């Protein structure tokens, strides 16, 4: 079956369309948005999907509009944006490191963001916005440290992963130290944040994350063709005109910002950045980083995990980070077994 087609666009140009990858992206978009509508209708005051859609277009009752736009929609939008940011950020790290384990979870960016948040909570008893800024700063500092320590006439895959694992271990120890030095109230607050949750999220978290995604996602997609060319090796891609290290620096900075901002908005939601790119690649069966598919896969995974956390355990609602941690841990074990059987580790 032919999966690639040439599609003509205005101006006499033609582009090649991977039909399977395009279909997967569309289905993931439908899944993510459909689950979002169901999630908005979930709660103590249940609403049908038709009522939710009617309210979103401004034709609901006053009570429905308050419930949807003020209470539930911001949480769902944060979930979509966080999942999309983690999905595309994980795809970038895995493409740059050329390693399926090269995700922010393994490299320590989540732990770095957690260190920044814990510093604000434990040492300064900061507000929610200050904690978010601390998480963003911690992620940026950790990402910069990993890049600098991994640099040796360029940044290469396994060196990046090994340095990231080492930095992760150090930062995890720092986080443990901060928790031992905190009082019981700050420690409880920190543990809740470290779990990763969408509870209580409102428009204050939506707008900064949306603005950052609106800037960084186009930058990443504009460099996707050059990123795909680097899979042929640095020498070949440089001969084809790709400025390899400049490309890596721009894309790593974008990935760090996306991951750190997602962590700042929802806490360290684990394993989405690791699993989303790999699942997207297996569905599309397409070479390359599969950035758009990974982005929508991450959004779908996080919204579905939030739906499960609210509905699957009765009155007891789990933080979404618990659900993604369980599912992601199972996936990581499967991935390690698969890589070992293939002789790659």
């Amino acid at each position: 079956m032919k999966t690639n087609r040439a599609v003509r666009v205005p101006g006499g140009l033609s582009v090649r369309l991977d039909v399977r990858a395009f279909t997967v992206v569309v289905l993931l978009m439908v899944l993510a948005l459909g689950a979002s509508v169901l999630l908005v209708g979930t709660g103590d005051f249940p609403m049908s999907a038709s009522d939710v859609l009617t309210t979103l277009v401004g034709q609901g009752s006053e009570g429905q509009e308050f419930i949807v736009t003020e209470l539930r929609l911001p949480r769902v939008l944060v979930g979509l944006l966080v999942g999309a940011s983690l999905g595309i950020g994980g795809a970038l790290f895995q493409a740059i490191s050329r390693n399926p384990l090269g995700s922010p979870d393994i490299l320590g960016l989540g732990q770095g963001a957690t260190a920044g948040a814990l510093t604000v909570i434990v040492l300064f008893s900061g507000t929610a916005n200050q904690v978010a800024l601390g998480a963003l700063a911690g992620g940026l500092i950790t990402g910069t440290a990993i890049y600098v320590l991994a640099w040796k006439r360029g940044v290469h895959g396994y060196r990046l992963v090994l340095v990231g694992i080492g930095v992760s271990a150090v930062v995890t120890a720092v986080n443990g130290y901060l928790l031992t030095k905190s009082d019981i109230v700050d420690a409880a607050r920190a543990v809740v944040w470290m779990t990763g949750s969408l509870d209580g999220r409102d428009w204050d978290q939506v707008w900064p994350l949306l603005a950052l995604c609106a800037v960084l996602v186009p930058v990443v997609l504009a460099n996707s063709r050059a990123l795909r060319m680097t899979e042929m090796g640095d020498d070949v891609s440089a001969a084809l005109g790709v400025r390899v290290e400049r490309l890596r620096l721009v894309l790593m900075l974008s990935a760090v910002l996306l991951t750190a901002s997602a962590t700042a908005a929802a806490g360290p939601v684990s394993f989405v950045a690791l699993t989303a790119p790999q699942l997207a690649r297996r569905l599309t069966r397409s070479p390359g980083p599969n950035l758009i598919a990974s982005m929508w896969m991450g959004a779908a995974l996080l919204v579905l995990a939030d739906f499960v956390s609210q509905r699957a355990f009765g009155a007891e609602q789990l933080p979404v980070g618990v659900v993604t941690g369980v599912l992601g841990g199972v996936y990581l074990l499967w991935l390690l077994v698969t890589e070992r059987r293939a002789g790659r580790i």
Side-chain angles (χ1 to χ4, degrees):
M1 181 178 177
K2 190 175 182 180
T3 60
N4 293 309
R5 294 181 181 176
V7 178
R8 292 193 176 275
V9 298
L13 299 176
S14 64
V15 295
R16 191 179 67 176
L17 177 66
D18 187 326
V19 177
R20 182 185 178 92
F22 178 78
T23 304
V24 168
V25 170
V26 171
L27 292 176
L28 288 174
M29 290 175 60
V30 172
L31 178 62
L33 297 178
S36 298
V37 171
L38 293 177
L39 191 56
V40 171
T42 298
D44 294 334
F45 182 78
M47 298 174 61
S48 66
S50 60
D51 288 339
V52 172
L53 294 174
T54 300
T55 305
L56 289 175
V57 297
Q59 297 181 1
S61 66
E62 185 176 344
Q64 289 175 330
E65 288 186 2
F66 175 76
I67 291 172
V68 170
T69 59
E70 297 299 325
L71 298 182
R72 298 178 184 173
L73 184 59
R75 172 185 178 133
V76 173
L77 290 177
V78 170
L80 285 171
L81 291 169
V82 168
S85 299
L86 293 175
I88 198 169
L92 287 172
F93 274 111
Q94 291 178 20
I96 292 171
S97 65
R98 301 175 190 171
N99 191 317
L101 297 178
S103 80
D105 303 295
I106 307 299
L107 298 181
L109 290 175
Q111 291 85 342
T114 300
L118 287 180
T119 300
V120 174
I121 293 173
V122 173
L123 300 183
F124 305 104
S125 298
T127 64
N129 289 334
Q130 290 170 340
V131 171
L133 289 175
L136 183 61
L140 288 173
I141 293 171
T142 305
T144 302
I146 293 171
Y147 186 87
V148 171
L149 292 173
W151 175 272
K152 184 179 180 182
R153 295 188 297 275
V155 174
H156 299 283
Y158 280 102
R159 190 187 308 135
L160 182 68
V161 173
L162 291 174
V163 168
I165 292 173
V167 170
S168 176
V170 172
V171 177
T172 299
V174 171
N175 292 341
Y177 172 78
L178 289 172
L179 283 175
T180 62
K181 290 299 181 181
S182 62
D183 58 44
I184 188 66
V185 175
D186 287 337
R189 182 184 174 197
V191 169
V192 170
W193 189 90
M194 290 170 63
T195 304
S197 175
L198 297 175
D199 290 343
R201 297 308 184 263
D202 56 26
W203 292 105
D204 290 339
Q205 286 81 40
V206 173
W207 297 122
L209 191 55
L210 180 61
L212 196 64
C213 289
V215 172
L216 293 179
V217 171
V219 171
V220 170
L221 296 181
N223 288 280
S224 60
R225 183 173 180 271
L227 178 62
R228 186 169 180 175
M229 292 171 65
T230 60
E231 294 182 347
M232 297 183 291
D234 290 359
D235 294 337
V236 174
S237 53
L240 294 174
V242 178
R243 299 174 65 179
V244 178
E245 289 306 323
R246 177 183 175 277
L247 176 71
R248 286 199 182 110
L249 178 60
V250 169
L251 293 182
M252 276 198 65
L253 178 60
S254 299
V256 169
L257 283 171
L258 287 167
T259 304
S261 61
T263 305
V269 180
S270 57
F271 289 115
V272 174
L274 174 67
T275 58
Q278 292 300 311
L279 292 175
R281 180 185 289 253
R282 282 165 171 76
L283 287 176
T284 62
R285 298 180 186 174
S286 175
N290 290 282
L291 296 177
I292 299 178
S294 299
M295 180 177 68
W296 281 106
M297 176 63 78
L301 283 177
L302 194 53
V303 173
L304 288 172
D306 194 30
F307 185 83
V308 171
S309 70
Q310 294 188 48
R311 297 295 296 271
F313 302 96
E316 297 293 331
Q317 293 189 9
L318 294 179
V320 68
V322 174
V323 178
T324 61
V326 172
L327 298 177
V330 173
Y331 174 80
L332 178 59
L333 291 174
W334 175 83
L335 180 63
L336 290 172
V337 171
T338 302
E339 292 291 301
R340 182 176 181 273
R341 287 179 177 175
R344 289 189 285 267
I345 60 173

